[in-house]
Amino acid sequence: MFKHIFIAQTKLFFRNKESILWNLLFPFAMVTLYYVAFHNIADTENFKIDPVPVAVEKTDQTIEGMPFRQFLESEGESHTMDGDQILYDTETNKNLVPILVDRPAGEKLVESGKVDGMITYEKGKPISYVLGPRDIENYRVIMVKAMMDYYQQRENTVTRIINEAVDRRIPISNDQVSQMISTLNGKDYLMTLKTPVSNVSKYTVFYLAILAYICIAAVAKGIDVVGNVEAVYSPVSMRAAISPTSKRLRFIAVMVASLVMAVLLNLLTFGYMLLLKMPVGDSYGAIVGIVVLGTFVGFFMGTAVGSLLPGKMTLKNGLGIILPLAMGFMSGMMSVEVKYAIDTHLPVVQKFNPLNAIVEGLNALRFYETMEIYSHNMVYLGGLLVAFIALTMIGLRRADYESL
Amino acid sequence: MRVFKLYFQIVRSQLSVIFIYVGIFSLIAFIFGSNIKSMPDEAYTPKKLDVAVYNEDRGGAVAEGLHRYIGTRFNLVDIPDDKKSLDDALFYERINFALRIPKGFSERFEKPSELPISIEKTQGMQENMLVDIEVTKYLDTWQIYNNARNVSADLFAQEDVEEMIGEDLAKETTLKVFGSQKEILNGIGAKTYTSYMIYLLMSTVLSIICMTMLILNDKDTRAREMVAGFTDGRRYLELLLANVVFGIIIWGILIAVGMISFGASAFLGEKGLMLLGSSFIHLLAMISMALLISTIFQQTSAIEFIRVIWPLFIAFSSGIFIPMEFVWKPLQTAASFFPAYWQVVADEAILKLPKGSPKLIEILTKSFSIELVMMVAFFLLSLAIRRYRLKGENS
């Protein structure tokens, strides 16, 4: 009988258009969506920062020939004005587009959003950078500030050396000063260690989260299996219930058929991700292991929800969609910042999120040389699996129906 | 209003879906909101990153100086010097980066290519930029003083170099924002919230409208109600009203959550009210789109498929989950055929441009008009498809 139900269930899978849509098309559509969405940022090495247009207020320091003016001219990209439009080469390697204007015109440019902010440098005062309304933690702000800091700190150093030389009556020529500074050009003090994490973008979490989501999305299949077995949910399951086959055997047969399909499809999806060269890692054996275990956890979470939760099948089906999405949301599937916020402020919630355990396991494979964190997450997922199987067994045994 | 009541009875059966979405969203809104509320209304102060420094060149002047300087710019975190502890600290983001200054660094500083400082860091554009800038700045300045002493050792004493560098590097660009920082943070908070609301509204309003309409559009249900004296037109009007009322209720709840999380002032200022208006217009366009989807797709599985995929597609392509500059250009073009994209464009303009500026008025007029045209177009299209279907059923 097991064989009969198993074969029938497998045939049903391929004959049911809805099931084909959900099981085959859905994971591939999700992966494709992520692939296309992060097309630009998959490779951070090639990501280019556009030059930042800023207004520079005309002061005594910006007069032709002054060092600050020279600095702006050498480090900044030139521009032309077409009416009120600022035109410049966006492909340039320079980071700044300085637009020399008087204060009212500069304020107008900032207010109209045509420039990021306005730089003012007057003798005896530090450089100030007044920003338009934008995210002040933004890299564009950091970049402009770093350039201005660099200039005034360097100016301070050189002025000090010259003053010391004058005070101590030590002759130093302009050439010697230039040489002191020019020897620094291109010197790189830092060597980034080639740890795997430094080679990938933090946006990789998106890819890991989508793989984990696809595993946990098996919740819906688990709920379906309960719907097929419990007599109360459909005329088909009611007919099956009066057949001379025990519920346990029917459940096991339907469950095995469904689970085998889920695992195969998720592995196929993983293969598709590799085909698209998504950076999910290269420890293929370990990834396959966590994908299989994750699918089991998702599936049996579904059977537990389906068998224990009272209510109609439509509600449970709704949960089958919502639960993985909610867990994915907390694990960085939609926003890495949300994952970090939950990790920091609500670590207890994250501890009970199996999708996050899969993400951490996958991330650990990319990060660590050892398998410790990965194994820890696998054990945790294994524990959850046992718990969900036990809950399913409790939920399925001896259900009484007032009427069918 | 029997159909109207029936509509909400069906919605009631899907309340758990709404609760889960709104619950999680509220939780996250509270976290982000409390972060913004705790920021002072003063000039900008940069965020301090967490760093572990392993100085193997104890006693070396340059190394010790750099170590102390890093301590003034970042939060020094004590992490044991073994690979596992360091990897764990980086993996769990207890530190943003780790610097290792090798033995003999100070002595051989003039030939740094032979012995660079090694650095291990997590990813993040800002973090990478900051650490590179600070270390390079410090060592470059030290190098200048070294070069100066090579010209004449009488210029200053070697032991004064560290203090002089500290004074030089203390000269920083002051960062200010136009107007009050708090006001801008409020604007950023409200804008972030209303952007994320697009995804949530799609996942709740759009999906529940589609599912409910699917049930109510059932041929037998319609036939029964027509026998009971309900004309198809009146029935449709009641459904339309119910959809709009339902959408407004959810929208109102979410705005209330936003006001509690970010403070009412974030939404009741000039920019906040404009953002609310923008969000409301998008809501109307989205309800219209939901009507169209529920008219085109008549199978539960198709609706379920769309309710998961569609909000994600819109959120990733319209610059809601990732900044617009990161979104692949063809995907942006595809997104511009849907109202969410235009809400994001309008919200960006509201945040960045001054109230009443011609540019802002131009962008808002364009974005809102497009959204309203889309709303009408979706509605008319759904009416046309519906009429075509009804004709088919009657013939």
Side-chain angles (χ1 to χ4, degrees):
Chain A
M1 187 49 75
F2 174 88
K3 191 178 159 191
H4 174 76
I5 299 173
F6 179 85
I7 293 170
Q9 193 65 30
T10 311
K11 279 182 181 169
L12 265 177
F13 176 86
F14 288 106
R15 285 183 186 168
N16 186 343
K17 280 181 192 164
E18 287 189 10
S19 131
I20 294 280
L21 179 76
W22 259 114
N23 296 305
L24 270 177
L25 204 60
F26 179 73
F28 288 96
M30 287 290 276
V31 168
T32 309
L33 170 67
Y34 272 63
Y35 173 71
V36 176
F38 300 111
H39 196 270
N40 260 9
I41 50 175
D43 183 4
T44 46
E45 295 280 318
N46 293 335
F47 181 72
K48 192 186 148 299
I49 298 171
D50 284 342
V52 181
V54 287
V56 180
E57 189 186 348
K58 285 180 183 167
T59 60
D60 49 355
Q61 298 298 305
T62 60
I63 299 167
E64 191 76 53
M66 289 297 279
F68 186 57
R69 175 76 175 260
Q70 287 172 354
F71 171 75
L72 291 174
E73 281 167 357
S74 66
E75 296 297 320
E77 177 64 25
S78 60
H79 71 282
T80 54
M81 298 295 289
D82 180 12
D84 61 348
Q85 293 298 313
I86 304 160
L87 305 175
Y88 54 88
D89 177 16
T90 50
E91 298 301 313
T92 178
N93 286 328
K94 293 184 172 171
N95 294 325
L96 200 69
V97 183
I99 296 141
L100 211 57
V101 283
D102 50 29
R103 183 182 280 262
E107 284 176 350
K108 222 170 170 183
L109 282 174
V110 178
E111 283 186 1
S112 64
K114 288 194 172 65
V115 294
D116 279 31
M118 182 164 69
I119 292 166
T120 305
Y121 184 32
E122 291 167 316
K123 196 171 168 58
K125 290 182 185 172
I127 297 177
S128 85
Y129 182 35
V130 182
L131 294 163
R134 57 182 64 238
D135 183 3
I136 47 185
E137 295 290 350
N138 193 286
Y139 63 88
R140 290 164 72 96
V141 180
I142 292 172
M143 193 165 64
V144 175
K145 182 180 178 296
M147 286 181 76
M148 294 303 115
D149 282 351
Y150 172 87
Y151 174 78
Q152 60 187 338
Q153 288 163 359
R154 184 58 42 83
E155 187 186 50
N156 204 58
T157 306
V158 174
T159 308
R160 184 198 293 274
I161 292 169
I162 293 169
N163 288 345
E164 288 288 337
V166 171
D167 287 351
R168 292 166 199 259
R169 297 184 183 182
I170 300 169
I172 292 186
S173 67
N174 282 347
D175 284 348
Q176 280 175 312
V177 173
S178 305
Q179 215 177 359
M180 280 177 208
I181 302 166
S182 64
T183 50
L184 299 166
N185 289 344
K187 201 165 267 185
D188 199 2
Y189 301 106
L190 290 171
M191 175 188 72
T192 301
L193 288 189
K194 290 282 174 195
T195 57
V197 78
S198 19
N199 292 334
V200 290
S201 150
K202 73 171 180 178
Y203 289 100
T204 313
V205 170
F206 281 118
Y207 297 117
L208 304 183
I210 192 66
L211 183 57
Y213 166 78
I214 283 159
C215 298
I216 295 295
V219 167
K221 293 186 186 76
I223 291 173
D224 266 355
V225 166
V226 175
N228 277 325
V229 172
E230 286 289 12
V232 74
Y233 291 122
S234 72
V236 175
S237 52
M238 206 191 308
R239 274 205 301 278
I242 53 169
S243 68
T245 313
S246 73
K247 188 160 84 174
R248 185 172 296 172
L249 182 66
R250 276 188 293 118
F251 172 73
I252 292 173
V254 174
M255 179 266 286
V256 172
S258 201
L259 193 54
V260 166
M261 272 303 157
V263 169
L264 286 178
L265 282 170
N266 286 352
L267 290 178
L268 213 60
T269 311
F270 169 55
Y272 180 57
M273 291 176 90
L274 291 180
L275 202 70
L276 293 178
K277 297 195 171 108
M278 286 177 156
V280 284
D282 50 9
S283 314
Y284 302 125
I287 297 174
V288 166
I290 204 164
V291 165
V292 172
L293 186 56
T295 309
F296 270 68
V297 170
F299 184 88
F300 282 102
M301 186 196 284
T303 55
V305 169
S307 59
L308 285 173
L309 201 75
K312 290 181 181 170
M313 210 55 196
T314 46
L315 166 76
K316 295 178 185 182
N317 283 336
L319 281 178
I321 294 169
I322 288 285
L323 278 177
L325 270 179
M327 288 189 271
F329 190 52
M330 293 191 290
S331 310
M333 194 170 115
M334 287 78 162
S335 162
V336 184
E337 278 69 32
V338 169
K339 175 178 163 52
Y340 292 159
I342 302 265
D343 282 349
T344 313
H345 299 279
L346 296 165
V348 181
V349 174
Q350 210 66 299
K351 279 235 179 322
F352 290 97
N353 180 358
L355 206 147
N356 191 56
I358 300 176
V359 172
E360 291 224 332
L362 288 168
N363 215 359
L365 284 175
R366 290 166 43 248
F367 188 88
Y368 288 97
E369 284 166 11
T370 64
M371 303 287 273
E372 200 182 320
I373 303 281
Y374 170 81
S375 311
H376 173 82
N377 282 293
M378 288 291 274
V379 169
Y380 168 72
L381 287 169
L384 274 184
L385 177 63
V386 171
F388 286 135
I389 291 174
L391 287 171
T392 305
M393 290 303 142
I394 293 167
L396 280 179
R397 71 196 175 113
R398 292 186 188 175
D400 289 327
Y401 307 115
E402 280 182 18
S403 63
L404 284 174
Chain B
M1 300 290 271
R2 209 171 65 192
V3 179
F4 186 87
K5 280 181 192 164
L6 181 62
Y7 179 97
F8 279 96
Q9 272 175 7
I10 297 170
V11 166
R12 211 177 300 156
S13 69
Q14 300 177 73
L15 275 181
S16 56
V17 171
I18 301 173
F19 279 138
I20 293 177
Y21 267 119
V22 175
I24 291 175
F25 188 66
S26 308
L27 208 66
I28 291 158
F30 281 124
I31 295 171
F32 282 112
S34 56
N35 277 350
I36 283 191
K37 278 198 275 191
S38 65
M39 286 183 184
D41 187 14
E42 292 160 7
Y44 169 74
T45 42
K47 186 174 77 181
K48 273 194 170 183
L49 300 173
D50 297 315
V51 51
V53 176
Y54 302 109
N55 184 6
E56 291 172 351
D57 190 22
R58 289 275 169 206
V62 185
E64 293 283 356
L66 177 64
H67 191 167
R68 277 191 288 272
Y69 177 69
I70 292 291
T72 63
R73 310 299 295 177
F74 304 102
N75 294 322
L76 288 181
V77 180
D78 199 15
I79 304 288
D81 188 6
D82 61 85
K83 185 156 175 53
K84 189 184 176 308
S85 305
L86 178 58
D87 283 351
D88 284 350
L90 284 166
F91 185 72
Y92 292 108
E93 306 231 335
R94 285 198 293 275
I95 54 171
N96 297 91
F97 61 92
L99 279 175
R100 184 176 301 279
I101 308 171
K103 199 166 172 53
F105 178 78
S106 304
E107 203 177 305
R108 294 200 268 167
F109 175 60
E110 286 180 36
K111 291 176 277 178
S113 57
E114 283 181 20
L115 204 59
I117 295 169
S118 65
I119 175 165
E120 293 183 41
K121 53 196 175 186
T122 54
Q123 273 300 312
M125 205 177 290
Q126 285 95 325
E127 286 86 338
N128 288 355
M129 278 171 71
L130 279 175
V131 61
D132 288 352
I133 288 165
E134 292 300 341
V135 173
T136 307
K137 224 162 60 175
Y138 185 86
L139 295 178
D140 266 0
T141 314
W142 193 295
Q143 194 70 261
I144 293 176
Y145 283 121
N146 255 4
N147 292 344
R149 274 180 52 78
N150 286 343
V151 172
S152 170
D154 296 332
L155 272 170
F156 32 72
Q158 181 68 52
E159 53 271 25
D160 294 336
V161 170
E162 189 184 334
E163 195 188 329
M164 292 191 296
I165 296 173
E167 285 169 14
D168 291 348
L169 299 189
K171 290 217 176 293
E172 279 194 81
T173 306
T174 55
L175 277 181
K176 288 179 192 155
V177 285
F178 267 121
S180 147
Q181 162 141 310
K182 197 79 178 177
E183 208 172 279
I184 287 164
L185 286 173
N186 273 342
I188 292 169
K191 192 239 158 197
T192 310
Y193 186 82
T194 50
S195 291
Y196 271 82
M197 247 178 78
I198 298 173
Y199 174 74
L200 197 74
L201 282 172
M202 287 209 162
S203 303
T204 51
V205 176
L206 187 133
S207 70
I208 285 176
I209 286 180
C210 287
M211 290 306 278
T212 312
M213 290 297 283
L214 191 72
I215 296 166
L216 288 167
N217 280 337
D218 176 63
K219 203 175 164 186
D220 294 337
T221 315
R222 269 198 344 255
R224 270 202 302 274
E225 277 164 5
M226 284 171 83
V227 167
F230 269 84
T231 61
D232 202 57
R234 184 181 162 190
R235 189 173 179 278
Y236 194 66
L237 267 180
E238 279 192 31
L239 281 179
L240 211 61
L241 182 68
N243 280 325
V244 175
V245 170
F246 170 68
I248 292 175
I249 290 171
I250 297 292
W251 183 82
I253 291 170
L254 291 178
I255 293 298
V257 168
M259 285 189 177
I260 295 166
S261 310
F262 289 84
S265 60
F267 294 92
L268 298 178
E270 285 162 353
K271 287 190 184 260
L273 286 172
M274 279 197 274
L275 288 169
L276 287 187
S278 167
S279 171
F280 190 75
I281 290 173
H282 172 256
L283 171 79
L284 297 179
M286 201 188 60
I287 291 172
S288 185
M289 191 165 74
L291 273 178
L292 178 63
I293 292 173
S294 64
T295 314
I296 296 173
F297 299 100
Q298 303 274 313
Q299 299 85 18
T300 317
S301 57
I303 297 285
E304 281 179 348
F305 186 82
I306 289 166
R307 74 196 255 187
V308 178
I309 290 272
W310 191 251
L312 283 172
F313 165 73
I314 293 294
F316 279 119
S317 57
S318 308
I320 297 166
F321 287 159
I322 45 175
M324 194 67 101
E325 60 253 42
F326 290 126
V327 181
W328 192 37
K329 287 278 185 273
L331 203 61
Q332 282 186 37
T333 312
S336 66
F337 290 99
F338 302 101
Y341 174 87
W342 296 101
Q343 189 200 326
V344 175
V345 170
D347 290 358
E348 283 282 322
I350 291 169
L351 182 69
K352 290 180 181 169
L353 301 176
K355 185 189 68 135
S357 75
K359 184 82 182 165
L360 176 65
I361 293 168
E362 185 195 320
I363 293 175
L364 291 189
T365 311
K366 185 180 168 191
S367 305
F368 292 165
S369 304
I370 291 173
E371 284 184 70
L372 291 172
V373 166
M374 281 178 179
M375 180 186 81
V376 175
F378 292 149
F379 179 64
L380 291 178
L381 205 59
S382 71
L383 275 185
I385 295 171
R386 184 184 152 80
R387 194 174 169 80
Y388 175 77
R389 282 238 171 94
L390 284 177
K391 264 190 181 174
E393 282 173 16
N394 294 335
S395 59

